[in-house]
Amino acid sequence: MKGKFCILLCSMFVWALCVSGQRHWMVADGLPTGEVQQIVELPNGQMLVNCEGVFCLSNGHSFDVVSCNQILAYKLSQYTNRYGQLWEGDSILWLRDFYRIYRFDAHQYRFVKTDENGLGRPFLKTILADKADTPQPTAQQQHVIDSLHIHDATVAITDRQGGLWIGTRTNGIVYQPPHRTKPMIHTGNDPLIGQTRSASLRNGQTMFVIQLHDGRQLRCDSLCHLAYALQDHTTISLNAKLPALNQYRYMVGACPMDGDWVAVYTQNGAFLLDTKADTLASFPYVSEIERYSSKYNCMLKDGDGRLWVGTQNGLFSLTPNPSPVGEGKCVGEGNFNYLCQRASGLANNCIRSLVMDADGHVWAGTSFGISRITPSVVNLSVDDGIPATTMMDRSAILLDDGRLIFAIGGGLAVSFRPDEQLGEEKPLPVVITNITINGETVESSTLSLLGNLSYKQNYLSFQFSTLNYATPSHDRYRYRIRNLESEWNTCSDGGGQCTAIYRALPPGDYTFEVQAATASSEWGTVTTFQFAIRPPWWLTWWMKTAYGLATILMIVGLISVYLQKKNAKLKRENDERVNHLFELREEARHQFAESANISPDKIAINAEEEKLVSQMLKAIEAHIDNEQYNADLLARDVAMSRASLYKKLQNMLGITPTDFIRKVRLKRAAQLLTESQLSINEIATHVGFATARNFSSSFKKIFGVTPSEYRNREENAKKTHN
């Protein structure tokens, strides 16, 4: 008894931590130091924090240091003992600490030079004269500080959401979220706990009971025996009549479907039972669902006719499909026709229970808290007073007063009203807090100053947040590059921020768009960021014009040649020339394919081709140990477009630029095998192969033998010749 009481006390303590919803930011979260002396909310909702003259900005999840050149600040002639702040409009923030006065541009997120002459203006005399102080905590704020037993508070401000930020002298920032109705905790002998836990009907030998429309009941006992219970209290067993039932080791529950069909789900599969004909059928989309898990935990049919299937690894919705069977992902067996989708965005994919609220919205208890599924996914977290722990299997119900209650192990349960928990939250504007270009972070102070990027600066990532510190887990984001994507990308990590990554963007003018929605499913305003990637010189408009003129001149030349070669004699001469060129081309291809040595004059049939081959060999040899050297780089090094180089090599040797690079590497390797004492691994690295295994495989495809066999063969040939 004493042990159970201790467990209950521990559980209640954990619950108390969950319900508080506090956050504590320290150096590990990006603060420069734990000495927080000033906190100022900027117009966009970011918090500018002063840690003894080192500044940082909140990004929705943690903090990023803001560069501050102390030389740009005004050094006070006498030290003060107070911190101060003063807004000049909504863009310039003046800050004073013990030693300096700083000028911060809140639109460009950077510190700018403090004009010593400008400090004489009447407007700034208050901060210069040490009279513009950081606001002191109000009586209400001080009450909260005292209730949290914070004894070294330095500053306290209330943000736009009503959350209280408390700076401390040694322990960073404590955040107290705004007051919200919290879930109710049920412990001990509360009868609602037993009522919720009995939702699965696992009492005695009965695993589940469902009522059929004809008055019968379908029951399952602990031995996985299915039977009908008639109104006269007699039972009719189904296992003897349907031996296939014996393959299911543990039947979990059942869910009535259309007509006489019932879906029965187990820990190793699911099936359909026709309660009129006593026959079995395959469960719709079992092959799609069981790609993830064959352990079914719960099922629910909502008011729209959708069947929700909770498994050990995913939540699936089977939506009635009006299209004919055979179109899309549909199943027609048993007169069922559904579209199957796996739900995304949940905090956890192990679904323990499913329940509908009074408005018909579907909720799920998971192995890591509770999620609302419809009309949009919202994950309740510790910020909402919901513990990040496992809910009990099939132990969630809707109470008569509209509350939902979920049972948890250890004699605990949580109940709440969905409307109070989610309310009418309005989406906040999204703030782009960080941008990286080719993996390098662009300082927040220069975000608004970015100009055109070169074609090599085409790997971008955008970090963004609504700066929703009260309920970050409720935010959902969608983003796109408008000039590149027609559909939105969605994300939601529950941590207060998300990141969009774009690789290998082609040259062009772009607009990155991002917006957020909360539990209300209403999307907020769109935040945009415009940028441009300049094309390489060979793809500029004037080069394209040159290409066009060259093409026209080439066409004119071809027409002229065609007109000059009308007569039969010239045609015969042309035919002979073509045949000769064909023979030369075949000989060149044969030389390239068979010889380990590459000689430009042997594989080219004219001076121009010989020059091109020489340039390509020189470029490849210069980068032969670089496994990243590819056709794009080769085209660049020989001053050709990739398409032109591809066409040229197709005409010359019937291969692609990539094949040409690989064969040059391997032929060079063959030379090293016969002319050097380097090991095969060293040769593989020298000619740009990441692994000896890949090198050996590629070498054998070209020469028909492995590198070691080739070396032995050549050495034996030399000995025989000598």
Side-chain angles (χ1 to χ4, degrees):
M1 185 69 182
K2 183 178 179 181
K4 291 184 178 179
F5 180 71
C6 291
I7 292 174
L8 181 60
L9 286 179
C10 291
S11 300
M12 293 180 69
F13 176 72
V14 173
W15 270 98
L17 292 178
C18 293
V19 171
S20 69
Q22 293 175 9
R23 290 193 187 88
H24 193 181
W25 289 293
M26 300 187 70
V27 174
D29 303 298
L31 290 177
T33 71
E35 304 166 287
V36 177
Q37 298 291 350
Q38 278 181 306
I39 304 176
V40 183
E41 185 174 21
L42 302 184
N44 68 349
Q46 285 185 282
M47 294 293 178
L48 179 65
V49 180
N50 183 354
C51 297
E52 287 283 4
V54 185
F55 297 86
C56 60
L57 274 173
S58 61
N59 59 30
H61 176 72
S62 56
F63 294 85
D64 299 316
V65 172
V66 180
S67 297
C68 178
N69 186 345
Q70 300 281 329
I71 297 177
L72 299 179
Y74 173 72
K75 188 175 181 180
L76 296 171
S77 57
Q78 293 182 341
Y79 295 157
T80 67
N81 59 0
R82 291 197 299 266
Y83 283 74
Q85 62 193 56
L86 186 66
W87 279 100
E88 184 177 355
D90 62 353
S91 61
I92 300 299
L93 173 64
W94 295 87
L95 299 168
R96 189 194 69 244
D97 62 12
F98 290 173
Y99 315 105
R100 292 174 176 82
I101 294 177
Y102 306 87
R103 186 181 178 209
F104 181 77
D105 190 325
H107 286 177
Q108 297 184 357
Y109 314 110
R110 65 189 183 113
F111 286 91
V112 294
K113 182 174 177 57
T114 303
D115 185 3
E116 184 176 346
N117 296 327
L119 286 172
R121 289 182 292 160
F123 171 75
L124 295 176
K125 285 184 177 180
T126 54
I127 196 168
L128 189 61
D130 198 14
K131 296 180 180 179
D133 294 334
T134 296
Q136 296 300 306
T138 64
Q140 183 178 359
Q141 291 172 340
Q142 189 62 50
H143 175 73
V144 175
I145 294 172
D146 294 339
S147 68
L148 297 176
H149 305 289
I150 299 175
H151 304 294
D152 62 344
T154 57
V155 61
I157 72 165
T158 301
D159 65 18
R160 59 183 176 177
Q161 292 180 280
L164 181 61
W165 294 65
I166 305 169
T168 69
R169 188 167 291 105
T170 58
N171 292 304
I173 298 173
V174 176
Y175 173 79
Q176 179 68 21
H179 175 74
R180 297 166 54 222
T181 302
K182 295 294 183 181
M184 182 179 296
I185 307 167
H186 302 270
T187 61
N189 297 321
D190 192 319
L192 284 178
I193 298 178
Q195 181 181 347
T196 307
R197 297 179 66 173
S198 65
S200 60
L201 295 178
R202 288 181 293 184
N203 52 340
Q205 297 299 311
T206 303
M207 298 308 299
F208 63 81
V209 178
I210 65 168
Q211 189 71 38
L212 303 178
H213 64 83
D214 59 6
R216 296 178 297 166
Q217 290 182 338
L218 179 65
R219 295 185 177 182
C220 177
D221 62 22
S222 60
L223 299 177
C224 288
H225 291 160
L226 279 180
Y228 297 125
L230 307 182
Q231 293 179 344
D232 60 3
H233 304 293
T234 60
T235 59
I236 302 174
S237 176
L238 287 172
N239 285 62
K241 186 176 181 180
L242 301 171
L245 294 175
N246 297 320
Q247 67 179 300
Y248 299 100
R249 67 172 183 266
Y250 187 84
M251 294 187 185
V252 176
C255 181
M257 304 285 282
D258 297 333
D260 298 306
W261 292 93
V262 172
V264 181
Y265 48 100
T266 79
Q267 287 193 341
N268 63 325
F271 60 89
L272 293 174
L273 170 66
D274 187 336
T275 58
K276 183 176 182 180
D278 292 343
T279 58
L280 302 181
S282 299
F283 183 70
Y285 261 98
V286 66
S287 60
E288 179 71 16
I289 294 173
E290 294 186 10
R291 288 173 50 206
Y292 300 92
S293 176
S294 60
K295 184 180 179 182
Y296 295 76
N297 293 333
C298 49
M299 284 189 187
L300 173 70
K301 190 174 183 181
D302 66 17
D304 296 325
R306 286 176 297 186
L307 181 65
W308 295 89
V309 182
T311 73
Q312 195 74 1
N313 185 24
L315 175 64
F316 300 83
S317 64
L318 299 182
T319 306
N321 182 26
S323 64
V325 175
E327 294 185 8
K329 291 186 174 182
C330 313
V331 174
E333 187 173 5
N335 296 321
F336 293 103
N337 187 13
Y338 288 97
L339 292 175
C340 180
Q341 289 182 307
R342 187 172 187 257
S344 61
L346 280 72
N348 184 266
N349 284 321
C350 182
I351 310 303
R352 298 293 187 183
S353 58
L354 291 167
V355 65
M356 277 197 303
D357 63 20
D359 294 323
H361 298 153
V362 177
W363 292 73
T366 76
S367 286
F368 198 70
I370 299 171
S371 298
R372 189 193 72 182
I373 309 303
T374 60
S376 61
V377 174
V378 178
N379 298 311
L380 302 188
S381 68
V382 292
D383 298 326
D384 305 286
I386 302 297
T389 187
T390 300
M391 303 293 117
M392 287 190 65
D393 288 342
R394 296 169 298 285
S395 297
I397 59 174
L398 171 64
L399 301 177
D400 293 338
D401 60 5
R403 288 182 295 165
L404 291 179
I405 182 167
F406 290 80
I408 307 173
L412 294 173
V414 55
S415 68
F416 56 87
R417 299 182 186 278
D419 57 341
E420 293 179 349
Q421 198 66 24
L422 299 179
E424 296 297 328
E425 297 177 345
K426 297 298 182 181
L428 294 169
V430 181
V431 177
I432 298 175
T433 58
N434 186 45
I435 296 177
T436 65
I437 300 175
N438 290 355
E440 297 291 332
T441 297
V442 179
E443 291 189 7
S444 58
S445 61
T446 61
L447 290 184
S448 59
L449 305 178
L450 285 180
N452 293 340
L453 306 175
S454 76
Y455 71 96
K456 295 181 180 180
Q457 295 176 298
N458 61 350
Y459 182 175
L460 278 74
S461 69
F462 300 88
Q463 186 183 85
F464 45 85
S465 172
T466 60
L467 306 174
N468 177 5
Y469 297 100
T471 55
S473 62
H474 295 187
D475 288 332
R476 293 179 294 117
Y477 299 90
R478 66 180 186 181
Y479 63 89
R480 67 181 178 183
I481 290 183
R482 188 174 61 204
N483 315 61
L484 187 68
E485 303 167 290
S486 58
E487 300 295 328
W488 291 93
N489 306 288
T490 59
C491 65
S492 175
D493 69 349
Q497 65 180 12
C498 282
T499 303
I501 300 175
Y502 290 93
R503 299 177 175 88
L505 286 172
D509 296 323
Y510 298 109
T511 301
F512 176 73
E513 299 180 326
V514 59
Q515 59 184 157
T518 57
S520 65
S521 299
E522 176 186 347
W523 290 101
T525 57
V526 177
T527 298
T528 62
F529 181 82
Q530 295 181 335
F531 63 100
I533 298 178
R534 301 189 304 272
W537 65 267
W538 59 86
L539 292 179
T540 55
W541 67 267
W542 51 271
M543 280 301 298
K544 291 180 179 179
T545 302
Y547 298 150
L549 292 175
T551 302
I552 294 173
L553 292 175
M554 183 179 65
I555 293 173
V556 171
L558 290 175
I559 293 174
S560 177
V561 171
Y562 171 75
L563 294 176
Q564 293 174 5
K565 296 183 179 181
K566 289 183 178 179
N567 58 69
K569 181 180 178 179
L570 290 179
K571 185 178 182 302
R572 286 194 301 270
E573 292 176 352
N574 184 62
D575 290 341
E576 292 173 358
R577 179 174 176 272
V578 169
N579 291 335
H580 179 63
L581 289 174
F582 180 77
E583 292 172 358
L584 292 176
R585 187 70 71 196
E586 288 299 310
E587 178 62 23
R589 293 182 178 182
H590 177 75
Q591 284 286 338
F592 182 77
E594 297 298 326
S595 176
N597 295 318
I598 303 176
S599 179
D601 62 338
K602 296 294 186 181
I603 63 175
I605 64 172
N606 56 46
E608 179 186 357
E609 291 185 356
E610 184 175 341
K611 180 181 178 182
L612 175 61
V613 172
S614 297
Q615 289 177 332
M616 290 192 293
L617 292 177
K618 182 179 179 181
I620 295 171
E621 187 66 26
H623 303 88
I624 198 164
D625 60 344
N626 180 7
E627 62 176 313
Q628 303 298 326
Y629 190 76
N630 55 27
D632 288 331
L633 297 176
L634 177 60
R636 180 201 65 188
D637 289 342
V638 296
M640 295 180 67
S641 68
R642 180 170 179 170
S644 298
L645 183 60
Y646 179 93
K647 184 176 180 181
K648 192 70 176 178
L649 280 173
Q650 283 289 322
N651 290 336
M652 288 176 57
L653 300 173
I655 61 175
T656 66
T658 300
D659 288 334
F660 184 82
I661 294 172
R662 184 174 64 256
K663 289 184 177 181
V664 170
R665 293 180 189 273
L666 293 171
K667 289 176 185 292
R668 178 58 176 151
Q671 293 175 348
L672 292 173
L673 286 169
T674 59
E675 299 171 4
S676 74
Q677 298 300 317
L678 295 175
S679 68
I680 292 176
N681 284 343
E682 290 173 333
I683 292 173
T685 302
H686 180 75
V687 297
F689 283 83
T691 65
R693 182 177 180 181
N694 186 22
F695 166 64
S696 181
S697 175
S698 300
F699 188 94
K700 188 172 183 180
K701 288 180 181 179
I702 298 298
F703 294 96
V705 293
T706 65
S708 58
E709 293 171 344
Y710 183 90
R711 171 172 274 176
N712 292 335
R713 186 183 70 185
E714 293 299 312
E715 288 177 354
N716 292 334
K718 286 182 179 180
K719 292 178 181 179
T720 303
H721 180 72
N722 294 333

